[in-house]
Amino acid sequence: MAAFPNSCLPACLLVLTLVRLSRPDSAPLDVVGPAEPVVAALGGDAELPCSLSASASAERMELRWYRGRRAAAVLVRRDGRARDAEQAAEFRGRATLLDGGLAAGRAAVRLHRVRASDDGEYRCLFRQDGRYGEASVHLKVAAVGSDPQIRMEVQESGAIRLECTSVGWYPEPQVQWRTSEGEKFPSMSESKNPDEEGLFSVAASVIIRDTSMKNISCHFRNLLLGQEKEVEMSIPASFFPRLTPWMVAVAVILMVLGLLTIGSIFCTWRLYRERSRQRENEFSSTEKLLDELKWKKATLHAVDVTLDPDTAHPHLFLFEDSKSVRLEDSRQQLPEKPERFDSWPCVLGRETFTSGRHFWEVKVGDRADWAVGVCRENVVKKGFDPMTPENGFWAVELYGNGYWALTPQRTPLPLAGPPQRVGIFLDYESGDVSFYNMASGAHIYTFSDASFSGPLRPFFCLWSCGKKPLTICASADRPDKVTVVVDAKDFAKEIPLSAMGEDPASGDAGTLHSKLIPTQPSHGAL
C-alpha cells in the first residue's frame, strides 16, 4: 500500500471525514404520522396519513402499511407498483393508496367500509437502499346504535323492574338512568356483548321501589363521538300496589327462611371449599415436584452456546466473548450476507442441533423487551415474516408489560414473578421446546409435538435499546454438567472488525467495520 507524504496526510484525512459525513446512506428515514388518533364512523371511509418529514420523493421507495408488530400487511408498494399478493385478505379491495402524494413524500391510505375490527394501531414503513423509518397511526372506530327500548316487569313484591336495550354500538357505550328532575342513578345490572361484527348489544336494568317516581329515562352515550340516544317512560301509580298485613307477614317468613337457607348453604360451601383447598395443596405439591424433576433433568444436557456475528442485525452490538448482545440506535456497516437479519433485530447462536437433547440458559435480568428460543437454520431473515412455529420459530418474549409465547395468536403467560434467568430445553426427537424460570425452577411454557426437520439453532431478539445486555450463561457455571457434541459452524469465519473507538476512516476505504463491545469482568450483571 502506497504511503501518503507527511505534508498531505492531514488534508487527506480531512477530505475523507467530510465525504463520510456528507453521505446520507446511513441516516435513518424520518417518518411522521398524526399526533392525534383518526376517528372514523362505522361503514364509512378513513384516511390514515403518513409522510416523510423532509418532503422527499417516495415514488421509488418501498412502502408498507401493516397492523401491530407481526400482523399481515394492509398495503404494500414496491418497485413502483402495488404488491396485491402480500396484502391480507381482510384488506383486499378496501385499502387503497391516495394518488398524487408520493412525489412529495406523502403516503396516505384510504380504508373503505370501515369495520369494528379495523380499530387499533397501524404502522407505515418507508425503505430505500438499506435505510428505513416508520411511524404509527391509531384508528378509532365509532358507531351509534339503535334507538333504546324499555321493557317493564312488575315483580311479586310490587317493585317494578325496567330493562333498557339497544344494539349496534362501538365502542361500549355509557348507560345512565335519569329521573324527570335530571337526577342520575346507576343500573342494577348491565351486560355488553359483542356480536359477530364486533358491535355491542347492551342491556341495563333497574328496580324501582319509590312510589313517588313517575317518569324515568334511559340514556346510551358514545363517548368517542359525544352522541347519545335516549328513551323515556311514564310509570302509572296503579303499578305500585299497597301492601296488606298478610303480605308483610309472608314477606317476613320468607325472609327468615331465606336467611336459614343461606346459612345452611354457606356452611356447606365452606366445608366443601376447605376440602377442595386440601386437595389443591396436595396436587400443587405433586405438580411442583414434577416441574422440579423436569428442570433438573434438563440441566443435565447443558451445552455451551455462543452468538454468530454473521447473522446479527446491524443494530445489534456483540461483546468480544460472543456471549452478550445489546441493541443500540446507531447502525453498523456490515457486509451484506444471506444469513443476516435485516429487519427484525435478531441474532442466532453458532451451534446447530439435528438430534438429541440440549439445554442452555440466558440471563435477561431486569431489561425489557426480549425474545429467546430456537428456530430453523433456514428461516427467512429478510423482511417482517411473523415469528411463529409455522415460520420456524419456537420462542417466548417479554414485550411491554406482558410475557407471551410466540404462537400464531400470541399466548399470554401468567408468571408468578419476572424471571432473571431463562432456561431453554430442546428435545429434538420428541419435538418439544420448554422454558424454565431458573431462579425457582418453575415451568414457563412448552411447545410440544413439533415436527422438526433439518438443523435448529438458538435464537435471540431485542426489541428496545439499553445499556443492559442479554447474556448467555456459561455452561461451566452449572453443576453436574454433561458435555454434548453438536454440529458447530466454522468458527474461523469472521467479519472484519475494528477495535472500539478506532476511527474507521483510518483503515482501508473498501473494508466495512463492526463495533465489537469489549468484555468486562462483570458484563453479564444487570
Side-chain angles (χ1 to χ4, degrees):
M1 179 182 295
F4 288 106
N6 292 336
S7 60
C8 297
L9 182 58
C12 293
L13 290 177
L14 178 60
V15 171
L16 288 174
T17 302
L18 293 176
V19 170
R20 180 176 179 83
L21 292 176
S22 64
R23 291 179 57 191
D25 295 344
S26 60
L29 297 175
D30 192 6
V31 184
V32 295
E36 299 294 331
V38 176
V39 179
L42 184 74
D45 294 348
E47 291 188 7
L48 308 179
C50 179
S51 62
L52 296 169
S53 62
S55 299
S57 174
E59 291 181 334
R60 305 307 302 173
M61 292 185 181
E62 177 184 348
L63 172 66
R64 177 183 291 267
W65 278 89
Y66 62 97
R67 294 199 64 180
R69 181 176 290 277
R70 305 177 181 85
V74 177
L75 184 143
V76 179
R77 187 179 187 275
R78 188 167 53 248
D79 298 331
R81 60 188 183 91
R83 302 289 178 171
D84 296 336
E86 300 182 38
Q87 192 175 35
E90 60 182 301
F91 294 106
R92 289 177 184 170
R94 294 199 308 123
T96 57
L97 186 66
L98 295 184
D99 297 332
L102 289 176
R106 295 188 299 272
V109 165
R110 175 169 292 164
L111 194 59
H112 304 275
R113 303 181 300 280
V114 172
R115 307 169 182 170
S117 59
D118 294 334
D119 188 278
E121 184 187 40
Y122 293 76
R123 302 188 72 85
C124 70
L125 181 144
F126 289 86
R127 187 203 305 269
Q128 186 179 39
D129 299 331
R131 299 186 303 152
Y132 65 90
E134 62 179 351
S136 63
V137 182
H138 198 93
L139 175 63
K140 291 189 175 182
V141 180
V144 177
S146 63
D147 292 333
Q149 295 183 349
I150 295 181
R151 185 173 65 89
M152 183 171 60
E153 175 187 347
V154 180
Q155 300 181 334
E156 293 182 0
S157 63
I160 295 178
R161 181 179 182 275
L162 301 179
E163 183 179 61
C164 187
T165 59
S166 181
V167 300
W169 292 85
Y170 194 86
E172 298 181 12
Q174 181 189 65
V175 184
Q176 282 187 348
W177 294 90
R178 300 176 189 171
T179 64
S180 56
E181 290 79 18
E183 180 183 355
K184 302 176 183 178
F185 57 96
S187 304
M188 298 295 294
S189 65
E190 289 186 13
S191 64
K192 301 175 181 179
N193 302 313
D195 58 17
E196 295 179 354
E197 297 180 357
L199 304 181
F200 288 93
S201 300
V202 185
S205 62
V206 68
I207 296 179
I208 307 298
R209 295 184 176 89
D210 187 358
T211 58
S212 65
M213 189 175 296
K214 305 302 180 183
N215 295 320
I216 189 171
S217 59
C218 173
H219 299 252
F220 287 78
R221 182 177 182 82
N222 186 308
L223 299 178
L224 192 59
L225 296 176
Q227 300 179 18
E228 71 174 33
K229 287 193 175 184
E230 63 176 294
V231 62
E232 186 175 6
M233 170 175 280
S234 298
I235 305 176
S238 58
F239 281 104
F240 291 99
R242 296 180 179 179
L243 297 178
T244 60
W246 71 267
M247 294 177 64
V248 175
V250 171
V252 172
I253 294 173
L254 292 176
M255 185 180 297
V256 173
L257 291 176
L259 291 175
L260 292 175
T261 303
I262 292 174
S264 176
I265 294 174
F266 176 76
C267 292
T268 304
W269 171 80
R270 189 171 182 179
L271 180 60
Y272 172 79
R273 184 180 179 186
E274 188 67 26
R275 292 181 178 177
S276 299
R277 186 178 299 165
Q278 293 177 358
R279 288 194 296 267
E280 288 176 359
N281 290 337
E282 294 174 358
F283 179 79
S284 177
S285 299
T286 303
E287 188 179 42
K288 186 176 181 180
L289 179 59
L290 290 175
D291 280 344
E292 185 176 356
L293 290 175
K294 292 179 182 178
W295 165 48
K296 291 183 177 180
K297 180 180 178 181
T299 58
L300 295 177
H301 301 275
V303 294
D304 195 17
V305 172
T306 54
L307 300 173
D308 183 359
D310 289 344
T311 65
H313 186 277
H315 280 276
L316 290 179
F317 287 71
L318 275 60
F319 285 66
E320 289 179 345
D321 59 356
S322 295
K323 288 284 190 178
S324 299
V325 60
R326 73 181 181 215
L327 180 69
E328 295 189 5
D329 291 328
S330 59
R331 181 183 179 90
Q332 304 172 92
Q333 294 185 12
L334 300 175
E336 179 60 32
K337 297 187 176 183
E339 64 267 29
R340 187 181 305 284
F341 287 92
D342 71 343
S343 298
W344 298 127
C346 304
V347 62
L348 300 184
R350 281 193 175 102
E351 293 67 28
T352 59
F353 308 115
T354 57
S355 63
R357 298 174 178 176
H358 312 279
F359 177 84
W360 62 96
E361 186 178 334
V362 182
K363 187 169 186 177
V364 298
D366 58 356
R367 71 154 290 122
D369 301 336
W370 49 261
V372 296
V374 300
C375 70
R376 288 197 298 262
E377 186 176 39
N378 61 349
V379 293
V380 177
K381 301 177 181 66
K382 311 299 182 183
F384 294 91
D385 281 3
M387 297 179 187
T388 61
E390 288 75 8
N391 290 335
F393 294 88
W394 295 268
V396 298
E397 73 170 1
L398 166 61
Y399 183 72
N401 295 323
Y403 293 88
W404 310 85
L406 298 185
T407 55
Q409 299 299 326
R410 289 218 315 170
T411 301
L413 303 176
L415 303 185
Q420 298 291 309
R421 296 157 75 106
V422 177
I424 300 100
F425 179 51
L426 166 65
D427 190 337
Y428 194 100
E429 281 72 19
S430 299
D432 295 343
V433 182
S434 301
F435 300 85
Y436 296 92
N437 182 341
M438 298 308 293
S440 62
H443 175 252
I444 296 176
Y445 187 79
T446 293
F447 294 89
S448 57
D449 299 328
S451 297
F452 297 139
S453 60
L456 301 180
R457 298 178 68 177
F459 164 76
F460 311 88
C461 201
L462 296 176
W463 301 123
S464 62
C465 301
K467 295 183 179 179
K468 299 177 180 178
L470 200 70
T471 300
I472 304 171
C473 301
S475 60
D477 294 341
R478 307 183 188 95
D480 303 326
K481 178 173 73 71
V482 175
T483 303
V484 178
V485 178
V486 298
D487 299 328
K489 290 182 63 178
D490 183 4
F491 285 7
K493 187 177 182 181
E494 297 289 347
I495 59 174
L497 303 174
S498 64
M500 189 172 182
E502 182 179 343
D503 186 1
S506 63
D508 190 347
T511 303
L512 298 176
H513 294 81
S514 169
K515 185 189 301 180
L516 206 64
I517 302 174
T519 304
Q520 300 175 1
S522 59
H523 71 270
L526 297 179

